[in-house]
Amino acid sequence: MAVRATRLKRVVGAVTAAAMVAFVAACGSGGSGDTASDGSVTLEFAQWWGAELPAGEFDKIINDFTAQNPNIKIKVLSAPYASTKQQLITGAASKTLPDVVGLDGAWVNDFAKQGAITDLSSLMADANYDASQLASQVQVKGKTYMIPVVNFVYPLFVNKDLLTKAGVAEVPTTRTQFLDAAKKISASGSDVKGWALPLDTAVPNGIQNDVMSWLWASGGSMLADGKPNLTSAQVKSTVEYVKSLNDAGVIAPGSLTMKEQDKVEKFTNGQVGMMIDSLAHINLIKKNKPDLKFEVAALPAEDGYTGKRGIPYASWGIGISNSTKHKAEAFKFVSYLLGQETNAKLSTIANGFPGNKNAQPDFSNSDPLFKTAFDIYQQGYPANEFVGLPKSEDLMRSFDEQLQLVLTGKTSVDDALAKSQESWSSVIE
């Protein structure tokens, strides 16, 4: 999934050729969940997380589970994201997925329709699992197929020096305040602009992170009963607001071909005062520009909005193969990873936020901005309606194309949304 490029990237080393061969071979085994003569069960767990964590840390979490559950053994299959994606897509098509799988939300709809992953709702009911502790669930037709284990969120980043120079005393919390701040920053001199908006259609995740985020921050939705609802007043207001930023000349030039990394580079170099971005880039920005004074904040909402604010996120999701013979044991492992204590540990080492609402990461050794962002996260809710939709990247791209026509004056907001609605309706059943 192209939007995965925005997720945490701290790959600590290449997977060896032998490990890759083992991963591919295991993914072709169908995740049979072998039962030993002593009655113990071995579950295969395929994911990319281990490759993005400090060496040995993921193994400790797995070993703690097997120590508590000696009758369940976990065969960990780790590979980089791209390799994992390729193997799981192949395994889903042939119904040979490992017993437990790490999931990207972009795969869920197709995997569920193929019958490759199981309905977790029924497993939660069978286990008397308290689903209210989960920060979010990814559903298809009302049934849960993926649970986010660790979330990586996208708050507002603001350059404090540029705000001060522009005479903006407070970080904007409303759309009106944001537009005002962006105008003042853009008028403060040189080539500085208020905001960066990456809309390259080759990697159209700007629609998710930088456009629809304004909708979710005000409690809005681009769907109604699971169907596209792009001609609604809330979506129209969002697009009109982005257009107003463009019309005011506060968006960094080149947005129609800008990629996310370009946005981050412009912010790091002090060329834009504000951007919506992944927390994963905090350490990168500080490494590349140690003297840059910036902070993170909740996304501005519509004027007068007082409800909880949605905040864009990407996840390490988890699911269970529909072909495994040991679904109860597999769910026991899933519930362990989502347990309050374990989930806090995993979130801490990943520099992410827990999928268990009651888990509290340890920020004592992290940049203080992570704690600030966690407070924002707790006060709002994770929002990414593209997760679980079929062909989500194609949906973003078609919307992107229409938005570009709006921003270049070639079509109206109403016509663009009507065409996007028609396009999406042909994809989302």
Side-chain angles (χ1 to χ4, degrees):
M1 179 181 179
V3 298
R4 166 59 179 54
T6 63
R7 184 172 293 131
L8 203 59
K9 293 181 178 177
R10 298 181 316 284
V11 179
V12 295
V15 176
T16 65
M20 277 303 301
V21 170
F23 183 87
V24 172
C27 282
S29 70
S32 58
D34 296 333
T35 302
S37 58
D38 61 0
S40 64
V41 171
T42 297
L43 301 176
E44 295 174 350
F45 176 33
Q47 37 60 53
W48 65 93
W49 315 348
E52 298 189 352
L53 292 171
E57 292 296 328
F58 196 43
D59 291 336
K60 291 179 184 177
I61 288 176
I62 302 299
N63 291 340
D64 284 345
F65 172 78
T66 53
Q68 297 172 29
N69 300 274
N71 63 319
I72 305 176
K73 296 178 173 59
I74 305 296
K75 184 177 181 180
V76 179
L77 310 173
S78 292
Y81 174 86
S83 301
T84 301
K85 174 184 177 181
Q86 179 182 357
Q87 295 304 324
L88 294 187
I89 288 176
T90 301
S94 59
K95 306 294 192 300
T96 56
L97 285 178
D99 305 280
V100 183
V101 288
L103 293 173
D104 185 312
W107 314 335
V108 174
N109 194 283
D110 288 341
F111 284 13
K113 287 182 177 178
Q114 291 170 342
I117 51 178
T118 200
D119 171 17
L120 298 178
S121 303
S122 62
L123 294 184
M124 286 190 276
D126 292 343
N128 293 316
Y129 184 79
D130 179 14
S132 68
Q133 64 190 295
L134 300 177
S136 60
Q137 303 176 51
V138 177
Q139 299 187 331
V140 177
K141 296 188 182 302
K143 296 179 179 179
T144 297
Y145 287 92
M146 175 185 124
I147 301 174
V149 178
V150 179
N151 295 313
F152 304 100
V153 300
Y154 297 70
L156 178 70
F157 283 59
V158 293
N159 182 316
K160 292 293 291 179
D161 286 339
L162 288 180
L163 255 65
T164 300
K165 181 181 178 182
V168 180
E170 301 291 338
V171 174
T173 62
T174 68
R175 289 184 182 179
T176 296
Q177 291 173 0
F178 184 90
L179 176 57
D180 180 66
K183 286 180 178 178
K184 290 178 178 177
I185 292 170
S186 300
S188 62
S190 65
D191 296 324
V192 174
K193 291 293 183 179
W195 188 46
L197 175 62
L199 291 178
D200 191 315
T201 55
V203 188
N205 57 328
I207 297 301
Q208 170 185 267
N209 301 329
D210 303 86
V211 177
M212 287 302 181
S213 52
W214 293 99
L215 172 71
W216 301 327
S218 300
S221 174
M222 62 188 199
L223 306 172
D225 297 324
K227 307 293 185 183
N229 192 28
L230 300 179
T231 57
S232 69
Q234 285 182 314
V235 176
K236 181 178 179 179
S237 172
T238 298
V239 175
E240 286 180 335
Y241 180 68
V242 172
K243 182 178 183 296
S244 73
L245 292 166
N246 183 69
D247 292 346
V250 303
I251 299 177
S255 63
L256 302 188
T257 56
M258 185 182 294
K259 295 180 172 63
E260 179 170 281
Q261 59 264 37
D262 302 322
K263 171 184 70 176
V264 177
E265 184 176 339
K266 285 182 179 294
F267 183 84
T268 304
N269 293 334
Q271 294 173 290
V272 295
M274 298 177 286
M275 69 171 178
I276 300 166
D277 192 37
S278 169
L279 284 184
H281 291 142
I282 287 178
N283 292 334
L284 175 66
I285 294 170
K286 293 204 167 186
K287 177 183 178 182
N288 292 340
K289 200 79 168 183
D291 58 342
L292 184 69
K293 295 179 182 178
F294 69 97
E295 63 181 68
V296 296
L299 272 64
E302 284 187 294
D303 295 39
Y305 178 73
T306 58
K308 286 192 173 185
R309 303 188 184 198
I311 184 168
Y313 76 100
S315 301
W316 287 350
I318 199 164
I320 294 174
S321 169
N322 204 27
S323 60
T324 180
K325 299 176 183 177
H326 301 286
K327 292 181 181 177
E329 290 88 348
F331 184 73
K332 191 169 188 177
F333 176 60
V334 169
S335 61
Y336 163 78
L337 293 178
L338 286 158
Q340 184 174 341
E341 182 179 349
T342 303
N343 203 234
K345 288 180 182 177
L346 186 55
S347 300
T348 298
I349 61 176
N351 277 332
F353 295 158
N356 185 315
K357 292 189 293 188
N358 303 319
Q360 178 74 40
D362 180 4
F363 295 106
S364 59
N365 295 317
S366 302
D367 190 288
L369 291 179
F370 285 104
K371 177 62 169 65
T372 300
F374 185 63
D375 292 340
I376 296 168
Y377 175 75
Q378 287 190 306
Q379 291 164 13
Y381 62 94
N384 186 341
E385 292 184 296
F386 286 101
V387 171
L389 292 182
K391 301 180 180 179
S392 58
E393 185 173 318
D394 291 342
L395 299 178
M396 292 181 212
R397 183 172 293 108
S398 65
F399 194 95
D400 193 341
E401 291 168 350
Q402 289 300 317
L403 178 60
Q404 291 206 19
L405 293 176
V406 170
L407 299 184
T408 53
K410 296 177 181 177
T411 193
S412 68
V413 172
D414 286 336
D415 285 348
L417 292 178
K419 288 182 179 178
S420 294
Q421 174 74 16
E422 181 181 357
S423 176
W424 283 28
S425 295
S426 67
V427 175
I428 303 174
E429 299 176 359

